[in-house]
Amino acid sequence: MIVLSRIDNRLIHGQVIEAWLPHLHVKRLVVADDVTARDTLAQAAMGLAVPESVEVVHVAVDALDTRALSSDTVPTLILFRDVADAVRARQHGLPDGRLTVGNVHAAPGRHAVSRSVFLSDTEAAQLEALGASGMDIVLQAVPSEAPRRVTRAA
């Protein structure tokens, strides 16, 4: 079962390992990312931080089988590198549920919407569209932080 989907361009890192995995009782971590799906060295490096009790799966976004992940009983957290990947996953069947936006690096054309999330107008509109389609979209770095709705930067 998919317990949470998350956008975080760092993918597997401390907040995921130390906060999200125990909070959600995750037993499977799916990294849906085209780059790491092809990079065994990156996969190995990321896997070093994950407890042995948690299965790690690396898959290209278009190959993500959300139907299978939703229908089994293994608590699963899906990680996406960016908004565009989450949008693609939704187009391929990512079900309704919570999508947290935890970290999107600053870049030209992006505006701060939280301390750790910077979005372009296009990305903000894409997240709003995901929300309108039935997903629960929130900004939330760690579980102890109150979730906030995504709003366009002023």
Side-chain angles (χ1 to χ4, degrees), residues 4-22:
L4 182 70
S5 298
R6 179 174 175 80
I7 298 170
D8 192 321
N9 53 11
R10 299 166 296 178
L11 299 172
I12 298 176
H13 62 93
Q15 287 178 344
V16 170
I17 302 301
E18 297 296 324
W20 288 105
L21 294 184

Side-chain angles (χ1 to χ4, degrees), residues 36-60:
T36 57
R38 297 183 311 262
D39 186 343
T40 55
L41 182 60
Q43 292 174 24
M46 284 185 204
L48 291 173
V50 180
E52 288 183 19
S53 61
V54 177
E55 174 189 10
V56 180
V57 177
H58 293 270
V59 62

Side-chain angles (χ1 to χ4, degrees), residues 130-141:
L130 288 173
S133 76
M135 297 193 80
D136 180 24
I137 312 296
V138 297
L139 301 172
Q140 189 176 21

Side-chain angles (χ1 to χ4, degrees), residues 18-103:
E18 297 296 324
W20 288 105
L21 294 184
H23 177 74
L24 298 169
H25 308 288
V26 168
K27 295 298 178 195
R28 178 171 50 213
L29 187 56
V30 175
V31 179
D33 179 61
D34 296 343
V35 174
T36 57
R38 297 183 311 262
D39 186 343
T40 55
L41 182 60
Q43 292 174 24
M46 284 185 204
L48 291 173
V50 180
E52 288 183 19
S53 61
V54 177
E55 174 189 10
V56 180
V57 177
H58 293 270
V59 62
V61 175
D62 293 339
L64 181 64
D65 187 351
T66 57
R67 181 171 289 147
L69 295 172
S70 297
S71 65
D72 69 20
T73 59
V74 180
T76 300
L77 169 60
I78 302 174
L79 296 173
F80 299 106
R81 182 180 300 271
D82 55 34
V83 174
D85 287 348
V87 169
R88 282 176 42 218
R90 181 68 169 177
Q91 292 167 345
H92 290 289
L94 182 65
D96 290 351
R98 178 155 283 190
L99 173 66
T100 64
V101 184
N103 194 74

Side-chain angles (χ1 to χ4, degrees), residues 100-116:
T100 64
V101 184
N103 194 74
V104 177
H105 290 315
R110 287 185 173 156
H111 308 282
V113 294
S114 77
R115 289 188 332 225
S116 62

